[in-house]
Amino acid sequence: MQRVLITGGAGFIGSHVTEALLARGDEVCVLDNFNDFYDPAIKRANAEAVKAAGARLVEGDIRDAEGMARLFTEGNFDAVIHLAAMAGVRPSLLDPLHYEDVNVRGTLILLEQIRKREGLKFVFASSSSVYGANEKAPFSEVDDIHRCISPYAATKRAGELHCFTYHHLYGIPISALRFFTVYGPRQRPEMAMHKFVRMTLQREPIPMFGDGSTRRDYTYIDDIVDGVVRSLDHCEGYEIYNLGESQTTSLAEMIEIVGEVCGIDPIIDRQAMQPGDVVITYADISKAKRRLGYDPHTTVRDGLSRFVEWYRQQLG
């Protein structure tokens, strides 16, 4: 049994990870500030569910240094899974200073607390966006990445570098996880799959940026949770892991599958490519397989079928 702090624990990925840890007997403290990046009522509903399952819930902000000091003292944690962040490539272009403040300064405040306490493990949620305009695919953790093309990506890469610095200076065990386009039940409503399913069911036009040939490595939430838990259990030294499905689907193919799963022909609104978007994301997961036993297996069609079933249940 471990005492685990999960920042952003009321969010999409965080609530699922919380449930997984509670189910195996860990004590979990969920920290969230319930900001209005999307409807806070969604996160509050997630929070009530994990609280009912046994999690402790704390409303607070990772940028509050004094509040974090009190929380770490009271919690006596064994590990921190840091999922709290300002998310999204396109919104980061509009408010880069806020993204820097939350994603970089907030991470540093947590690392400062961890370095004062012996033995704490740190799992840091990074992103496949750090690969930026990488021309080599699939993407490997050993690739030379120096071409981030959005403020969001730059903040996540900065977080990885700060993590390595704190591991080097203070010996903190750290797993940095590069997530590849996570989807599934409770997904944020502005994310592509959630938005496309909603628009298809409501017979609204789906914006397709570019010619539909851009490809993403879509990763189902259950597979991501498995990778996060494994990275916690194998957290030692400083390691970066890709967590993806290791298969790619084009935007046009994904929209087609959405239509098939929903039983409705999508209406497509063709638009220009957006600044900050990359042509492809594609995870080389050989390291995570070898070291963690990570073995994702959910196809996009299966994952979307589960998501649509959940979405329809939410509609009542």
Side-chain angles (χ1 to χ4, degrees), residues 68-312:
M68 292 304 97
R70 289 193 299 270
L71 178 61
F72 273 78
T73 299
E74 295 166 1
N76 193 26
F77 304 116
D78 299 304
V80 177
I81 300 177
H82 178 32
L83 301 170
M86 288 301 299
V89 166
R90 294 172 193 158
S92 75
L93 274 65
L94 303 176
D95 198 359
L97 293 178
H98 186 48
Y99 274 69
E100 178 76 14
D101 188 40
V102 175
N103 296 359
V104 180
R105 192 170 72 88
T107 298
L108 277 169
I109 287 172
L110 294 176
L111 286 168
E112 276 291 283
Q113 289 303 317
I114 291 170
R115 76 171 177 85
K116 299 172 183 176
R117 294 163 173 83
E118 187 176 352
L120 260 77
K121 298 182 289 186
F122 190 57
V123 176
F124 171 67
S126 186
S127 165
S128 63
S129 67
V130 301
Y131 288 106
N134 192 19
E135 296 177 353
K136 170 187 162 293
F139 303 162
S140 169
E141 296 92 342
V142 299
D143 290 348
D144 181 13
I145 52 172
H146 55 275
R147 301 174 66 187
C148 292
I149 59 173
S150 71
Y152 171 68
T155 64
K156 285 299 183 179
R157 181 59 180 144
E160 292 180 355
L161 294 172
H162 283 304
C163 284
F164 176 78
T165 301
Y166 273 69
H167 163 72
H168 174 74
L169 292 175
Y170 310 113
I172 301 170
I174 297 177
S175 296
L177 310 179
R178 293 174 178 169
F179 295 152
F180 282 71
T181 315
V182 188
Y183 72 101
R186 303 180 209 153
Q187 186 185 34
R188 300 196 320 267
E190 91 284 357
M191 295 292 287
M193 281 194 178
H194 194 142
K195 183 166 62 175
F196 291 176
V197 166
R198 181 178 70 250
M199 289 178 162
T200 297
L201 292 174
Q202 294 177 354
R203 274 67 167 185
E204 297 177 5
I206 292 176
M208 186 171 78
F209 298 108
D211 62 3
S213 64
T214 56
R215 305 188 71 84
R216 295 289 179 269
D217 192 337
Y218 295 104
T219 316
Y220 190 66
I221 184 62
D222 290 0
D223 292 328
I224 282 290
V225 169
D226 177 67
V228 173
V229 173
R230 288 175 182 274
S231 72
L232 172 65
D233 292 344
H234 294 81
C235 187
E236 52 190 29
Y238 173 81
E239 298 292 347
I240 295 174
Y241 296 105
N242 286 338
L243 295 186
E245 213 69 37
S246 198
Q247 53 185 311
T248 66
T249 305
S250 75
L251 177 58
E253 290 167 343
M254 192 266 278
I255 293 173
E256 181 180 355
I257 295 170
V258 167
E260 291 172 356
V261 170
C262 291
I264 299 169
D265 289 333
I267 304 168
I268 297 176
D269 175 19
R270 298 182 183 275
Q271 299 187 21
M273 281 283 286
Q274 297 293 291
D277 282 359
V278 297
V279 174
I280 188 172
T281 64
Y282 183 9
D284 176 348
I285 59 172
S286 56
K287 179 179 178 182
K289 280 190 170 186
R290 184 176 67 254
R291 298 199 178 186
L292 304 179
Y294 175 64
D295 187 25
H297 55 272
T298 310
T299 66
V300 169
R301 185 176 298 275
D302 287 346
L304 264 171
S305 295
R306 296 178 204 173
F307 176 77
V308 170
E309 180 181 359
W310 169 84
Y311 185 86
R312 284 177 160 149

Side-chain angles (χ1 to χ4, degrees), residues 22-33:
L22 288 171
R24 72 176 196 175
D26 289 333
E27 290 184 6
V28 181
C29 177
V30 164
L31 172 70
D32 211 291
N33 70 349

